[in-house]
Amino acid sequence: MGRKANYDTKAKRGPGKKTKKQPTPIFPTDGAENEERQLSHRQKQRAKKRSLKQSKKDKVTAKKQKIDMDSAGEEALDSEDQGNDSDAEEQTYPTAGKKKMLLPAKKSKLKIFGDSDDDEEEESEQEAVDDYGVGSDSDDSDDEDIVKKSKKLEKKKKAEIEAGDAYMDEAAQKLEVDIPSLEEVVEELKGEVDMPSIHSRIKDTAFVLAEFSKRRDPNRSRSEYIQILLKDLCMYYSYNEFLMEKMSDMFSSGELLEFLEASELPRPVTIRTNTLKTRRKALAAALIARGVDVDVIGWSKVGLVVMRTSGNVTLGATTEYLAGHYIIQGASSFLPVMALAPKEGEKVLDMCAAPGGKTTHIAAIMRNSGMIVCNDLHRERVKALVGNLHRMGITNATITCKDGRTFPKMMPQFFDRVLLDAPCSGTGVISKDQSVKTRKDPKDIQRCAHLQRELLLAAIDSVHKYDGSSGYIVYSTCSVLVEENEDVIEYALKRRNVKLVPTGLDVGKPGFVNYREKRFHSSMNLCKRMYPHTLNVDGFFLAKLKKLGNVEQSSKDEEEEDGE
């Protein structure tokens, strides 16, 4: 249609006939229109050049008159003041030197219309320049211009620096005024609080702490600023003081704000493809056809993140879900199984398996070969585990409902690999359970850490020693507290013949080697920490251990540990 439209816009031509479009007159005529049409192309070009040449001469004449008027005026002024005519002549040269800068541009503009006759125009222009002294170069005036420009730049830079210093001084004075003393903050928080003002004070305090040596008030200590920040954060985000102090020990003031803000927002919905029944590409195409927008997770081969769902689609009720093609699972829960890296035909223990997301992931990697013992202490949670195993088509799993600490006695050194996703305080999944912010206290953390230590030792005792391909334990929690993570791993390193090995994951931050007054094993940086504000996943910790030998703990040492 485009080509047809173009043809329609043209004049219709008869067979063998061509019509020429009449040219628009370039210059005004004296009314003899018929004579103009008879002119040849060459004549028209010459007429055009003559017209341009004449207009150029007129411009040069006008410039000459202007220069003469300027010089005459300057001579008159000089004769009145000094009576020296030679000085008046010299005064015209700087003006001429400035006029020279405008000519080359106009000269090049005229040049595009010329052909062989351009030489005449250039010669006439050069003669005019020579006659009026415009072509005489003035090095002194050029140097003066350069010096003036450099001085202007220096003044501009100096003004910008002064403006920046004034702004910083103003900001510092503002901060000093806006941040009250600790006593005033405590008194303010007892009554009715203004949340916007508290949020503004949080930002100001974090700004000072970011570069404390430069932005501090000399009469106030760092601890006072930190106490003000913690009290405002507890009020604004509804945390108890114990948990907020624990968070502040792990993060800087700026990163702490990022973590708290990210913990208030829900994590993206993610699903994991069941490779026993389909492939990620086919599953994504099927969901997109249903109106569900999905995108791949870069660091996973089976993960999809749900960007948007239509109003009539429920992810937990689609045909693909009921057929076991995928399971709704948090992205951070993919990582422990990826670190475990089970192989086909192995014997694997999932010590805390319900509701079955990690167990079904292990079975898919093993291609339903070998054996998986999936255990969970709580019988009501086992129902969800059974349902997911049936729906996902898992045939190599055996379900038990035992205390995980009893496995070394029931099946000592039996398994090739053990996954321990230990029960924890849940400080990494606050977005799912807001009650964690106020419900957790030191006793809860101590209780969790004690159980985690016992379960980890049991997991190590349930694995045979490393034989070149197997003999690994993966420990993970959905907590970010050091007491439930690095402390537990350090405890196992001292009580069992194991060592930390790389997890094989490209995401996450390394574990803490130094934490306040604590000093952990140098290999603790092989552990991985995931935070909601860095990866947009739930807070998570995981470590991979290799069992080097079977070491039995004496009853005496165990009694001493229990006493501690």
Side-chain angles (χ1 to χ4, degrees):
M1 293 180 66
R3 182 173 297 179
K4 184 177 180 181
N6 292 335
Y7 281 129
D8 292 341
T9 58
K10 295 182 179 180
K12 294 184 179 180
R13 299 177 181 177
K17 296 182 179 180
K18 296 183 179 179
T19 59
K20 291 185 178 180
K21 185 178 180 181
Q22 296 299 328
T24 304
I26 301 176
F27 52 88
T29 63
D30 56 354
E33 187 176 357
N34 295 330
E35 293 179 4
E36 180 188 359
R37 292 181 180 177
Q38 300 299 327
L39 295 176
S40 64
H41 177 71
R42 183 64 177 173
Q43 290 174 340
K44 294 177 181 178
Q45 292 292 329
R46 289 178 178 176
K48 177 182 176 181
K49 292 174 185 177
R50 285 196 297 271
S51 176
L52 294 172
K53 187 174 181 180
Q54 184 62 35
S55 63
K56 182 176 180 181
K57 288 182 178 180
D58 294 340
K59 291 180 180 179
V60 172
T61 303
K63 290 179 181 178
K64 176 184 175 182
Q65 294 176 355
K66 185 176 180 181
I67 292 173
D68 292 340
M69 292 175 64
D70 293 341
S71 60
E74 291 174 356
E75 289 176 359
L77 291 174
D78 291 340
S79 61
E80 292 176 0
D81 296 339
Q82 299 177 358
N84 190 352
D85 295 338
S86 61
D87 294 340
E89 294 178 358
E90 292 178 358
Q91 292 295 329
T92 62
Y93 284 100
T95 306
K98 292 180 181 179
K99 295 292 182 183
K100 176 191 173 186
M101 298 174 63
L102 300 176
L103 291 179
K106 293 186 177 180
K107 177 179 176 181
S108 61
K109 191 178 293 185
L110 292 172
K111 200 172 183 179
I112 61 175
F113 298 104
D115 47 14
S116 60
D117 295 336
D118 288 345
D119 296 334
E120 298 177 0
E121 297 176 4
E122 292 178 2
E123 290 176 0
S124 62
E125 182 179 358
Q126 186 62 37
E127 290 176 358
V129 168
D130 294 339
D131 291 341
Y132 304 117
V134 179
S136 61
D137 194 4
S138 177
D139 295 335
D140 295 338
S141 62
D142 294 340
D143 293 340
E144 291 177 0
D145 292 340
I146 294 173
V147 172
K148 289 180 180 178
K149 290 180 180 179
S150 62
K151 289 182 178 180
K152 287 182 179 179
L153 291 175
E154 290 178 359
K155 290 181 179 178
K156 185 178 180 181
K157 291 181 180 179
K158 186 177 180 180
E160 290 177 354
I161 294 173
E162 291 176 353
D165 294 340
Y167 175 79
M168 293 302 296
D169 294 340
E170 183 180 354
Q173 293 175 2
K174 178 178 179 298
L175 287 174
E176 291 178 4
V177 173
D178 287 346
I179 301 178
S181 63
L182 179 59
E183 292 77 10
E184 293 174 345
V185 171
V186 172
E187 194 67 26
E188 178 186 348
L189 296 179
K190 290 181 179 179
E192 295 183 1
V193 295
D194 183 13
M195 287 300 178
S197 63
I198 291 178
H199 188 250
S200 177
R201 188 166 62 215
I202 288 172
K203 291 183 177 180
D204 292 342
T205 309
F207 175 77
V208 174
L209 291 173
E211 293 186 16
F212 185 70
S213 59
K214 296 180 180 179
R215 302 167 181 170
R216 60 170 298 186
D217 183 350
N219 299 324
R220 306 174 71 173
S221 63
R222 184 185 185 90
S223 60
E224 183 180 356
Y225 281 103
I226 292 176
Q227 290 298 319
I228 293 173
L229 179 63
L230 293 182
K231 290 188 178 297
D232 285 340
L233 290 175
C234 290
M235 176 60 68
Y236 190 79
Y237 293 100
S238 301
Y239 280 76
N240 59 33
E241 293 185 0
F242 163 75
L243 198 57
M244 186 58 69
E245 289 178 359
K246 290 295 182 183
M247 299 296 183
S248 66
D249 290 340
M250 291 186 296
F251 303 111
S252 62
S253 57
E255 192 174 7
L256 176 60
L257 293 180
E258 294 178 3
F259 174 81
L260 296 176
E261 285 289 343
S263 297
E264 296 295 309
L265 303 175
R267 303 275 76 77
V269 178
T270 54
I271 59 178
R272 180 180 55 80
T273 308
N274 183 13
T275 55
L276 294 175
K277 294 187 175 184
T278 186
R279 292 291 178 268
R280 180 168 69 172
K281 186 176 181 180
L283 175 62
L287 292 175
I288 291 173
R290 292 187 179 276
V292 181
D293 291 340
V294 295
D295 196 4
V296 297
I297 299 176
W299 45 265
S300 172
K301 296 181 179 180
V302 294
L304 290 170
V305 57
V306 179
M307 310 300 293
R308 184 184 63 84
T309 59
S310 58
N312 58 350
V313 176
T314 303
L315 287 176
T318 63
T319 303
E320 290 78 14
Y321 178 83
L322 297 176
H325 289 187
Y326 67 88
I327 185 172
I328 302 173
Q329 185 178 3
S332 57
S333 297
F334 302 171
L335 300 171
V337 179
M338 293 169 61
L340 186 66
K343 298 180 180 179
E344 296 183 16
E346 291 184 340
K347 301 183 291 294
V348 179
L349 170 63
D350 189 354
M351 193 171 282
C352 302
K358 299 178 181 64
T359 300
T360 55
H361 194 181
I362 295 171
I365 294 176
M366 295 174 62
R367 310 300 302 170
N368 262 339
S369 64
M371 181 183 71
I372 303 175
V373 176
C374 41
N375 175 76
D376 200 275
L377 176 63
H378 305 284
R379 190 170 296 275
E380 61 275 9
R381 289 170 58 86
V382 172
K383 296 179 182 179
L385 175 61
V386 172
N388 282 322
L389 292 179
H390 282 297
R391 185 175 59 84
M392 303 286 283
I394 308 303
T395 59
N396 64 339
T398 300
I399 300 175
T400 60
C401 188
K402 301 288 184 181
D403 187 339
R405 293 171 288 187
T406 62
F407 271 92
K409 297 179 181 179
M410 296 188 301
M411 309 174 76
Q413 304 173 18
F414 177 77
F415 297 98
D416 298 307
R417 301 171 194 263
V418 173
L419 174 61
L420 173 59
D421 186 27
C424 62
S425 62
T427 53
V429 290
I430 294 176
S431 59
K432 296 179 181 178
D433 185 6
Q434 295 288 324
S435 64
V436 174
K437 297 191 292 186
T438 56
R439 186 166 47 88
K440 298 301 177 182
D441 56 21
K443 292 183 179 179
D444 292 325
I445 305 303
Q446 186 179 4
R447 191 182 304 112
C448 287
H450 181 73
L451 177 60
Q452 290 157 356
R453 292 179 180 184
E454 291 182 338
L455 287 173
L456 181 55
L457 294 183
I460 295 172
D461 294 338
S462 300
V463 177
H464 63 72
K465 69 178 182 180
Y466 177 71
D467 60 358
S469 61
S470 59
Y472 293 101
I473 307 97
V474 169
Y475 173 84
S476 64
T477 67
C478 54
S479 173
V480 297
L481 300 183
V482 173
E483 289 80 2
E484 300 180 79
N485 297 316
E486 283 86 353
D487 270 348
V488 176
I489 299 299
E490 185 76 12
Y491 178 86
L493 292 175
K494 293 179 179 179
R495 269 75 182 172
R496 295 293 186 269
N497 189 12
V498 294
K499 74 171 186 177
L500 283 166
V501 295
T503 59
L505 302 175
D506 296 331
V507 295
K509 293 187 176 182
F512 289 110
V513 177
N514 300 323
Y515 174 75
R516 294 179 65 82
E517 71 280 356
K518 296 182 180 180
R519 299 295 178 267
F520 298 116
H521 195 273
S522 59
S523 61
M524 201 66 70
N525 59 357
L526 298 176
C527 303
K528 289 292 184 178
R529 282 180 161 269
M530 288 73 184
Y531 298 121
H533 64 282
T534 56
L535 294 175
N536 200 15
V537 299
D538 293 328
F540 220 76
F541 173 88
L542 65 90
K544 187 173 184 179
L545 298 165
K546 178 195 290 187
K547 186 174 181 179
L548 302 178
N550 299 318
V551 178
E552 296 294 337
Q553 189 76 1
S554 64
S555 59
K556 182 178 179 180
D557 292 339
E558 290 180 354
E559 291 177 359
E560 292 178 356
E561 296 299 333
D562 293 339
E564 293 179 0

